[in-house]
Amino acid sequence: MKTTIERIFETLSKEKVELKSEKIELSDVDDLKKLNTLYYKNTGTANSKIKGLLSEARSAETKIEEALKAANKMEALISKVQKIAKELGIDENRIEELKNAKGAAKEAKEYESVLRIIKQFIKTI
């Protein structure tokens, strides 16, 4: 037969195990809380950055579209100015605005592909 002291120690040792178990469970809950906080903090920051990127992409899209409209209008004028320069016997290379317009028209072709990429980026997000 067990003495009272032995029963008390036996009971205490059982209680001690149960307390350890509760401590582990509380620790797990605390870890979950920390991980949740970290997750939501980082996804919140990422969402803000994505919204900023999307806003910038839309702004760039609008500006490129406006520039391409201007470049398309330049195409017709380039031909017209070249024809007039030829009729007047003026070297078209001496007409600065004509040289600039030719450069812009050539560059516009590159911006068309950039615009496609931006549109795809916006569509993807």
Side-chain angles (χ1 to χ4, degrees), residues 101-118:
K102 284 180 179 180
K106 184 177 180 181
E107 192 177 87
K109 302 294 183 204
E110 296 172 20
Y111 274 104
E112 287 173 357
S113 64
V114 171
L115 182 61
R116 281 191 297 276
I117 292 167
I118 290 172

Side-chain angles (χ1 to χ4, degrees), residues 51-102:
K51 286 178 185 177
L53 285 171
L54 190 55
S55 176
E56 290 294 323
R58 286 185 176 137
S59 176
E61 176 187 33
T62 300
K63 295 300 180 185
I64 292 171
E65 287 173 340
E66 291 172 3
L68 291 177
K69 284 179 187 176
N72 287 335
K73 291 178 183 178
M74 276 190 252
E75 294 281 342
L77 286 175
I78 289 170
S79 297
K80 187 176 179 180
V81 171
Q82 285 175 322
K83 183 180 176 187
I84 293 170
K86 186 176 182 179
E87 288 173 1
L88 296 174
I90 299 172
D91 180 10
E92 66 179 59
N93 291 324
R94 298 184 72 200
I95 304 171
E96 194 66 32
E97 289 306 318
L98 184 58
K99 287 193 312 189
N100 291 341
K102 284 180 179 180

Side-chain angles (χ1 to χ4, degrees), residues 3-65:
T3 65
T4 306
I5 293 179
E6 288 175 331
R7 283 185 293 175
I8 290 173
F9 280 120
E10 185 177 307
T11 304
L12 281 176
S13 67
K14 286 180 186 176
E15 291 298 319
K16 196 174 193 182
V17 170
E18 289 177 24
L19 289 175
K20 282 183 181 177
S21 173
E22 288 177 22
K23 184 177 181 181
I24 290 171
E25 289 173 14
L26 287 175
S27 174
D28 290 342
V29 171
D30 285 343
D31 289 346
L32 278 176
K33 181 179 179 182
K34 289 175 188 174
L35 291 171
N36 273 330
T37 300
L38 181 64
Y39 172 82
Y40 286 111
K41 177 184 174 193
N42 287 324
T43 56
T45 301
N47 285 335
S48 289
K49 291 183 182 282
I50 290 168
K51 286 178 185 177
L53 285 171
L54 190 55
S55 176
E56 290 294 323
R58 286 185 176 137
S59 176
E61 176 187 33
T62 300
K63 295 300 180 185
I64 292 171
E65 287 173 340

